Amino acid sequence: MEDLLAKFGKQRWAPYLCIGTALVLVVLLGLCGAYLELERARASVTSSIVGRLRSHAERTAGHLENLGAESGTGADLATARNAQWLRAHWRRVIPQPERVYGAVIDDDGHIVAHSDPTLEGGHLPTKWFDRELTAAGPGVVETSCRELTGGVRSFDIQAPISVGGEKLGTYHSGLNAAWFENEVASAEATVLRRWFLVTGAIVSVVSVAVFALLAIMRRNATLRRQLDRAELQRVTAINRLITGLAHEIRNPLNAIKLNLFSVNRRLTRSAGPQDQTATHMIEASALEVGRVEELMRELLGYVRNEPQVDELVDLVTEVRDAVTFYQPLLTEDQIHLHAELPDEAIEVRLNRQRLRQVLLNLLTNSREALGEEGQIWIRIRRQEESAEVVIEDDGPGIPTRDQDKVFEPFFSTKSAGVGLGLTLVRNYVTQFGGDVQCIRSAKRGTCIRISIPLAETATLARGVT
C-alpha cells in the first residue's frame, strides 16, 4: 500500500486529481446539504400553512356543531346556511390571498352553505378531487372542482361536523394552490441562495488554499532541484579533489614506504644497541604510512563507482569466513564474538568482495567502539524474500540523534574517524538491492541491521539469469 501511494505521489497529475476530487466533494456536499434543507423547508411551509387552515376548519366545524346543538335541529345543517356569524366570518377571512373558499357539505354531497352564495345548493360530483396530498396530512386533497372551487385549483382541507355523535357533514376550507406553491418556491429560493453562498465561499476558500499549496509545492520542487544540483556539483567537486589528492599522495607515499623499508634493512644488518630506537621510529613511521594508504583506499572506494560483478554467494559461508578472518584481532583485544549462524545455506546474488568489505567494516567499527573487552553478536535470519544480517555490540552506542547521520559522508562519532566506512557500507548494500539501518541495541550498544534480497528475489527484481 505504501509503495502504491509513493508511486501515485510521483505522478505529475496526482495533485490536480486530488484538487479536482476535493472540489467535486465540496460541491456534492453542498448539493446534499441544499437538498436536505429544501426538503425541510417544504415540510416546514406545508406544516405551517396547512396546520393553520386545518385549525381554522376545525374551529369553524366546532362552532357549527354547537349551533346545531343549541338550535335543537339535531341532524339538520340548514341552520348553517342562515348563520350570520358564519357569513361574517367568511367575509373577514376569505378575501385573504391564500383562502379560496369555505363550504359546508352534508354527507350526501350537497353544498349546504358556501362563501360564494352562487355555488350553494349544488352537488359535488362523485370524482370531485384530483389526488390526495398525503405529504400535507390526512383529509387534504387537490381539486379544481368547479362546483366547489369555482374552477380555481385548490388544496381542500376538511373537518367533520358531528352532533350528538352523529356525523352530519364536513366543513371544507380551500387553500389557493398557486399561492401555496409560490410560498414554497420562495422558501426554497431562500435556501438555495444561502447554500449557494455557503458552497461558493467554501469552494473559494478551498481553491485559494489549494492554489497556495500548489504554489508552495512547485516552489519546494524548484528549491529541491536546485539543492540537488548544488549537492551534485559539490559531490562531483569533492570526488575530483579526492581522486586528484589520492593520486598525488600515493606516489610519494610509495616512495617513502620504499625508502623506509631500505633504511630499515640497512639498520637491521648493522644493528647495534644504539640503533634500536631508530628501528622503532622507522617501524612506527611505516605503520603511519600504511594508515595513510588505508585512508586513501577508503577515499577512492567512496568516490569510485565501478560496476559490480554479481555472483551466487552463500551468505552464511561468507559471514563465517569473515568472522574467522577477523577473530585474531578480537582475541587480541579480549573481545568475545558470538556468531549465531543457521546450518542451511542462504544464497544471495551480489559482489563477494564488496560483501567482505561490508562485514569487515562493521566488525572494525564494533571493535573500535569497544576498545578492550566487550562482546559482539552477529546473526543471520532468513526472511520471506530477504536475508537479514545483524551485527551489534555492548559498547557505548550511538546517540539517537546521530543514528540517521552515521551513513552520511565524512560524519563520524570517533575523534580519529574519517566518516566513510558506514557510507561505503550503505553504498554497497544499496547496490546489492538491500537496506541498512542503525538502531539502538537491546544490549546497550550499537546495532546495524542489513537486509539483502534472496537470490531468487534479486533475480526477479534485477532481471539476472
Side-chain angles (χ1 to χ4, degrees), residues 86-145:
L86 182 59
R87 301 290 178 178
H89 172 69
W90 280 341
R91 285 194 298 270
R92 187 173 63 254
V93 300
I94 297 304
Q96 296 179 8
E98 71 270 24
R99 308 286 181 92
V100 178
Y101 61 85
V104 179
I105 302 175
D106 64 19
D107 280 347
D108 294 329
H110 292 97
I111 302 174
V112 178
H114 198 285
S115 56
D116 183 358
T118 61
L119 297 178
E120 291 180 352
H123 190 276
L124 292 181
T126 303
K127 185 63 176 176
W128 63 274
F129 63 87
D130 302 325
R131 62 190 179 99
E132 294 184 2
L133 301 176
T134 55
V140 182
V141 298
E142 181 181 348
T143 180
S144 299
C145 178

Side-chain angles (χ1 to χ4, degrees), residues 7 9 37 68 104 127 138 142 146 180 197 204 207 229 283 289 308 310 324 355-356 376 388 439 447:
K7 291 179 181 178
E37 191 166 348
V104 179
K127 185 63 176 176
E142 181 181 348
R146 188 172 296 277
F180 172 79
L197 292 174
S204 299
S207 299
R229 284 197 295 268
E283 291 176 350
V289 170
Q308 62 172 349
D310 293 341
T324 302
L355 174 62
R356 175 63 65 91
I376 298 175
E388 184 180 79
I439 59 176
C447 176

Side-chain angles (χ1 to χ4, degrees), residues 119 191 199 206 277:
L119 297 178
V191 171
T199 305
V206 171
T277 300

Side-chain angles (χ1 to χ4, degrees), residues 6-51:
K7 291 179 181 178
F8 176 78
K10 292 179 180 179
Q11 303 298 324
R12 296 186 62 182
W13 46 263
Y16 300 98
L17 177 61
C18 294
I19 292 166
T21 303
L23 292 176
V24 169
L25 287 176
V26 169
V27 173
L28 288 178
L29 288 174
L31 291 176
C32 289
Y35 174 78
L36 294 175
E37 191 166 348
L38 283 174
E39 292 294 320
R40 288 195 295 268
R42 292 190 193 101
S44 177
V45 171
T46 302
S47 175
S48 174
I49 296 176
V50 173

Side-chain angles (χ1 to χ4, degrees), residues 14 31 38 74 81 115 198 218 225 240 246 250 347 354 365-366 374 383 387 411 432 449 465:
L31 291 176
L38 283 174
R81 180 180 301 175
S115 56
V198 170
R218 289 174 179 171
R225 287 193 296 270
R240 291 175 179 172
R250 290 179 77 180
E347 293 186 334
R354 292 184 179 181
N365 280 352
S366 293
Q383 309 291 346
F411 179 87
F432 300 159
R449 181 179 295 157
T465 58

Side-chain angles (χ1 to χ4, degrees), residues 235-251:
V235 171
T236 302
I238 291 175
N239 290 351
R240 291 175 179 172
L241 177 62
I242 291 175
T243 303
L245 285 175
H247 182 268
E248 295 298 326
I249 291 174
R250 290 179 77 180
N251 289 332

Side-chain angles (χ1 to χ4, degrees), residues 253-370:
L253 279 180
N254 289 332
I256 293 172
K257 188 176 180 181
L258 180 61
N259 290 337
L260 288 174
F261 178 76
S262 300
V263 171
N264 189 45
R265 287 185 61 185
R266 292 188 179 185
L267 287 175
T268 301
R269 291 173 182 173
S270 60
Q274 70 278 9
D275 295 324
Q276 293 299 319
T277 300
T279 301
H280 290 316
M281 291 177 64
I282 291 173
E283 291 176 350
S285 298
L287 289 175
E288 291 300 316
V289 170
R291 194 174 70 84
V292 174
E293 284 186 324
E294 181 63 27
L295 173 60
M296 291 299 102
R297 278 194 294 272
E298 287 190 12
L299 288 173
L300 290 175
Y302 169 68
V303 299
R304 286 175 178 169
N305 190 21
E306 298 174 353
Q308 62 172 349
V309 179
D310 293 341
E311 55 184 309
L312 200 61
V313 173
D314 177 13
L315 184 62
V316 177
T317 300
E318 290 302 316
V319 171
R320 185 180 290 113
D321 291 346
V323 168
T324 302
F325 174 80
Y326 207 78
Q327 186 64 56
L329 291 175
L330 299 177
T331 302
E332 182 180 347
D333 292 334
Q334 299 181 4
I335 296 174
H336 300 282
L337 190 147
H338 308 276
E340 301 173 10
L341 309 179
D343 295 331
E344 70 277 5
I346 299 179
E347 293 186 334
V348 293
R349 188 174 292 278
L350 42 73
N351 183 284
R352 188 189 302 270
Q353 298 301 324
R354 292 184 179 181
L355 174 62
R356 175 63 65 91
Q357 187 169 354
V358 166
L359 296 172
L360 294 181
N361 280 4
L362 294 177
L363 289 172
T364 299
N365 280 352
S366 293
R367 171 173 166 262
E368 292 176 352
L370 292 172

